[in-house]
Every structure is written in structure tokens, then in C-alpha cells.
Amino acid sequence: MANSAGSRKRARQAEKRRQQNASLRSTARTYLKKIFAAIETGDKAAAEAAFKTAQPVLDSSVNKGIFHKNKIARYKSRLSTKIKALA
């Protein structure tokens, strides 16, 4: 455990950040699962709607440093390709 007051504060801040990051990561993953579920059912309209609502969440997670930008770009590209293939 941390001994000095400064290191105790750092430990508290790190724990708060860890919990916030975990929450944001979980939210983004939930949106991704909704898109995957819509694609699995073959419902193009639902998949497009889910994709449209998920894009801002995914982009903001990149800006907050939760995911790497290339990873989210790759996900978005592959998902849009799968949605287009549903036609």
C-alpha cells in the first residue's frame, strides 16, 4: 500500500480512472454486440440502425484513449462491409 499522502492520492486517482475506463470499454463492447446480433439475424435495417448509433460511441472511446484508432477503424470497416453484404 502507498505510504505518502501523494502516493495514496495517486492510487485513488488510478482506481477511479480504471473504473471509468472499464465502464466506457464495456459500453462500447455492448454496442458492438448489438451490431453483431443484428447482422446474425440478417436484419439489414436493424444492423444499419445499430451501426449508426454505435459509431459516435466508438469514436469517442478512441478520443478518450480506450481503444486504438486503427482497431476501431478496422471494426467499422468490417462491420459496414458485412452490413452491405446483407442486401
Side-chain angles (χ1 to χ4, degrees):
M1 187 61 204
N3 290 321
S4 67
S7 56
R8 279 195 294 271
K9 180 178 178 181
R10 272 287 170 213
R12 285 194 309 270
Q13 289 175 331
E15 180 61 21
K16 280 174 82 172
R17 271 197 309 273
R18 187 189 68 79
Q19 289 177 348
Q20 179 66 15
N21 290 343
S23 173
L24 293 170
R25 191 177 306 114
S26 174
T27 302
R29 287 177 177 160
T30 301
Y31 276 96
L32 286 171
K33 285 177 189 172
K34 287 178 183 175
I35 301 169
F36 287 129
I39 290 172
E40 282 292 314
T41 59
D43 188 359
K44 185 173 182 179
E48 285 175 338
F51 187 65
K52 191 170 271 195
T53 57
Q55 273 183 311
V57 174
L58 296 174
D59 292 336
S60 68
S61 69
V62 168
N63 292 335
K64 293 172 184 173
I66 306 300
F67 294 109
H68 194 275
K69 64 178 182 172
N70 291 357
K71 178 176 184 171
I72 295 301
R74 188 172 62 242
Y75 264 116
K76 288 178 4 186
S77 174
R78 288 178 181 171
L79 286 169
S80 64
T81 303
K82 286 181 180 179
I83 291 170
K84 286 177 186 172
L86 290 175

